[in-house]
């Protein structure tokens, strides 16, 4: 059967390991969550910038075609953008009033299924939405088409500039989700590795730190149980625990010496008590014998008295008889 102090030491070790592991796990989870949130925000911002850049590039290319309402050229430009980036979900070219002119789509969304844009926007706009029958998550960039004479397609701070139309480009976030899932698996693997390494290091260090304490607890239990077994905690370092071990060993030696002296005193008292009981028993025996002798002497004295009385009586009778014979 496993000793009680070993089980107690194991419980202390388990509690310390659980506390340390919980602290490390909380730190790893917090840092991982912060990293993933920032990483997801960076991915989202990357797609927003890509969508805005594609929309701005198309806005610079289709100014003349939009000015003359050349739907064929606008559709070709939209399909070129769609074919150049596999994440593009749809491209829509609208006039200044927000009416659909041309476009291209990767999935069969249909013009009626396309989400409507905000009318009258003279600045670029970014929004997150779900487009198409399947509700695919995407990010849409809407960029106004402004003539070059008014500052070009990226001069979006001129609210009085004439707006020829608007370009809307949507990027699917499925690839962003795939990247995020891959990053999540990578972070989880790293986090588990950190936890395992921290658990192993913590086990070795905590066991090394707790072992002298467990030994001292064992020694204290032996002293408390009155055991005469000699036990000393082993000093393994010169730190505070090592000083505590030295102090405990000195205290244990003093307690052991005092216990030995007390045991000797108790043994001496027991021997004296035994000798006293033996002397008392001898005295009782002698007293009993002395009493019996006194009784015998008294009986003999009484018998002697009776015999003397009988002898005197017998002598008187004999004298009387002699006297009677003489007369």
């Amino acid at each position: 059967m496993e000793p009680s102090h070993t089980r107690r030491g194991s419980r202390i070790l388990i509690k310390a390991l659980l506390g340390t592991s919980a602290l490390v796990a909380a730190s790893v989870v917090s840092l991982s969550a912060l990293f993933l949130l920032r990483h997801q925000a960076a991915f989202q911002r990357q797609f927003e910038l890509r969508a805005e850049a594609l929309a701005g590039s198309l806005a610079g290319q289709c100014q003349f075609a939009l000015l003359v309402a050349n739907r064929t050229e606008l559709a070709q430009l939209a399909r070129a953008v769609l074919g150049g980036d596999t994440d593009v979900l749809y491209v829509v070219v609208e006039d200044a009033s927000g009416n659909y002119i041309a476009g291209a789509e990767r999935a069969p969304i249909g013009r009626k299924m396309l989400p409507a844009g905000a009318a009258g926007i003279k600045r670029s706009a970014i929004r997150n939405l779900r487009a198409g029958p399947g509700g695919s998550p995407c990010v849409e960039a809407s960029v106004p088409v402004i003539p070059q004479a008014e500052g070009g397609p990226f001069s979006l701070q001129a609210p009085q500039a004439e707006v020829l139309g608007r370009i809307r480009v949507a990027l699917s976030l499925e690839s962003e989700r795939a990247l995020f899932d891959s990053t999540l698996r990578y972070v989880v693997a790293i986090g588990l590795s950190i936890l395992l390494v921290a658990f192993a290091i913590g086990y070795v260090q905590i066991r090394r730190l707790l072992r002298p304490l467990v030994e001292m607890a064992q020694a204290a239990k032996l002293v408390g149980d009155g055991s005469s077994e000699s036990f000393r905690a082993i000093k393994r370092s010169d730190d505070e625990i090592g000083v505590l071990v030295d102090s405990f060993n000195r205290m244990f030696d003093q307690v052991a010496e005092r216990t030995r002296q007390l045991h000797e005193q108790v043994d001496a008292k027991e021997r004296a008590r035994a000798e006293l009981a033996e002397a008392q028993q001898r005295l009782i025996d002698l007293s009993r014998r002395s009493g019996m002798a006194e009784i015998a002497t008294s009986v003999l004295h009484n018998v002697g008295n009776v015999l003397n009385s009988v002898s005197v009586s017998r002598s008187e009778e004999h004298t009387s008889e002699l006297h009677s014979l003489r007369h």
Side-chain angles (χ1 to χ4, degrees):
M1 182 179 295
E2 186 181 7
S4 60
H5 71 272
T6 303
R7 295 196 299 270
R8 183 164 56 250
S10 300
R11 289 197 296 268
I12 295 175
L13 178 61
I14 290 173
K15 290 179 180 179
L17 282 177
L18 288 178
T20 305
S21 300
L23 180 61
V24 174
S27 302
V28 171
V29 169
S30 300
L31 292 176
S32 299
L34 180 61
F35 172 78
L36 290 174
L37 289 175
R38 292 181 64 88
H39 203 60
Q40 186 178 25
F43 279 153
Q44 180 78 15
R45 183 56 182 164
Q46 179 184 0
F47 274 73
E48 291 175 357
L49 292 175
R50 282 176 57 192
E52 189 174 9
L54 289 173
S57 176
L58 182 58
Q61 297 174 21
C62 67
Q63 290 184 57
F64 180 76
L66 187 59
L67 184 62
V68 299
N70 189 341
R71 295 176 179 270
T72 303
E73 185 178 355
L74 291 174
Q76 291 177 353
L77 292 173
R79 285 194 295 271
V81 174
L82 191 69
D85 195 331
T86 57
D87 290 328
V88 177
L89 188 62
Y90 62 81
V91 179
V92 175
V93 181
E94 299 175 346
D95 60 14
S97 300
N99 298 317
Y100 179 87
I101 297 179
E105 59 190 19
R106 187 170 302 279
I109 299 175
R111 186 184 306 175
K112 293 183 179 180
M113 299 300 297
L114 288 173
I121 295 179
K122 294 186 179 182
R123 299 175 181 270
S124 61
I126 302 293
R127 61 174 179 168
N128 295 310
L129 47 88
R130 292 183 177 273
S136 176
C138 65
V139 56
E140 182 193 79
S142 177
V143 175
V145 182
I146 302 173
Q148 292 289 342
E150 298 294 337
F154 295 101
S155 298
L156 305 178
Q157 303 298 329
Q160 301 301 326
E162 179 184 359
V163 178
L164 300 178
R166 187 170 59 231
I167 305 298
R168 294 166 52 199
V169 176
L171 292 181
S172 174
L173 295 179
E174 293 298 330
S175 59
E176 184 265 344
R177 284 188 171 184
L179 288 173
F180 180 77
D181 292 341
S182 176
T183 304
L184 178 61
R185 290 191 294 269
Y186 182 72
V187 170
V188 169
I190 292 179
L192 290 178
S193 301
I194 293 174
L195 286 178
L196 290 176
V197 172
F199 184 85
I201 295 176
Y203 177 82
V204 173
Q205 293 297 325
I206 294 176
R207 182 178 177 84
R208 175 177 171 272
L209 290 174
L210 291 181
R211 190 170 182 179
L213 300 179
V214 174
E215 292 175 351
M216 287 187 288
Q218 179 187 8
K221 186 176 184 303
L222 291 175
V223 174
D225 294 340
S227 174
S228 59
E229 180 181 354
S230 178
F231 189 92
R232 291 176 62 85
I234 300 176
K235 181 179 179 181
R236 296 180 173 84
S237 62
D238 294 328
D239 54 7
E240 289 81 359
I241 295 181
V243 175
L244 178 62
V245 169
D246 288 337
S247 301
F248 181 84
N249 287 334
R250 287 194 298 270
M251 181 186 68
F252 183 81
D253 292 339
Q254 294 174 0
V255 172
E257 179 63 22
R258 181 57 180 166
T259 303
R260 185 187 62 79
Q261 294 176 359
L262 290 176
H263 281 302
E264 290 179 356
Q265 294 177 4
V266 170
D267 293 340
K269 289 181 179 179
E270 290 295 333
R271 288 194 300 270
R273 187 180 291 109
E275 293 175 357
L276 178 61
E278 184 179 357
Q280 289 177 345
Q281 186 63 39
R282 288 199 300 269
L283 181 61
I284 291 173
D285 293 341
L286 292 175
S287 298
R288 184 183 296 111
R289 293 175 183 175
S290 176
M292 293 177 63
E294 291 179 358
I295 293 174
T297 302
S298 177
V299 169
L300 291 175
H301 179 72
N302 292 330
V303 171
N305 291 333
V306 172
L307 291 176
N308 290 330
S309 299
V310 171
S311 177
V312 170
S313 299
R314 186 61 181 169
S315 296
E316 291 179 355
E317 291 178 357
H318 184 68
T319 303
S320 299
E321 290 178 356
L322 291 176
H323 184 70
S324 298
L325 290 175
R326 287 177 182 176
H327 290 287

